[in-house]
Amino acid sequence: KEAAVAKLSCLTGLTAFGCHFFLAIAVMGWLHRGSRLCAEVYENPQCMRRPRPGLPVGVQFMVFCSEECGPARCYDHYVAGVSGMYNEYSLICGAALQSGAVQEGHGGVVLVTMLEKQFTLQPISDVVDQNIMALGTTPATLCIPSRTI
């Protein structure tokens, strides 16, 4: 009887170990998939723009965020703000995706309005054609690319 309990106990332990092992592998695979998606976002300078610090209050400019600038979770460490107000070091397209001003996978143009060391976003269009894309190349005096960390 003790031998049967020992075998059952060993089998239960091995089964639990196997389940945890496969669960850990699945989680690592899911995380790696996400890091690959985010790596593509981080390599796209259009997705990594932020307002030039120190812009005067009231300055407005348009920024085009392409459909490649997602998913929004890639920007969790690059966007800071609450209630639609973002600090001037936040990434514009990340803030636009997280706020819903731009939909993931669609792209769009947002109007950025500068406040005191902050900015707000307003969606201009959910559907952007090739002619409007040129508007998204914001003048270098207004936007600066971010450094990839």
Side-chain angles (χ1 to χ4, degrees):
K1 190 173 183 179
E2 288 179 19
V5 169
K7 285 182 182 179
L8 181 61
S9 177
C10 183
L11 180 62
T12 302
L14 288 174
T15 303
F17 173 77
C19 288
H20 283 99
F21 177 77
F22 287 115
L23 181 62
I25 295 296
V27 166
M28 288 174 38
W30 180 78
L31 290 173
H32 180 69
R33 180 183 153 269
S35 67
R36 271 186 289 136
L37 287 172
C38 292
E40 294 173 12
V41 169
Y42 301 151
E43 292 172 3
N44 186 341
Q46 187 177 42
C47 301
M48 300 299 288
R49 290 183 293 196
R50 46 182 98 208
R52 183 168 301 282
L55 282 174
V57 173
V59 168
Q60 292 184 316
F61 55 95
M62 288 185 277
V63 174
F64 172 72
C65 299
S66 72
E67 58 273 1
E68 289 89 24
C69 290
R73 67 183 163 82
C74 293
Y75 298 97
D76 287 347
H77 300 291
Y78 296 96
V79 174
V82 292
S83 302
M85 307 272 282
Y86 301 94
N87 78 26
E88 66 183 340
Y89 299 103
S90 294
L91 296 176
I92 296 168
C93 289
L97 283 163
Q98 290 186 357
S99 71
V102 171
Q103 292 181 358
E104 284 187 25
H106 295 283
V109 177
V110 291
L111 179 66
V112 178
T113 303
M114 295 304 300
L115 305 171
E116 185 69 33
K117 297 189 183 229
Q118 296 180 330
F119 66 89
T120 61
L121 297 168
Q122 179 180 355
I124 299 295
S125 172
D126 291 333
V127 180
V128 181
D129 62 51
Q130 295 296 326
N131 296 330
I132 294 179
M133 273 189 179
L135 290 173
T137 56
T138 334
T141 57
L142 298 178
C143 254
I144 56 173
S146 169
R147 289 188 210 142
T148 303
I149 297 175

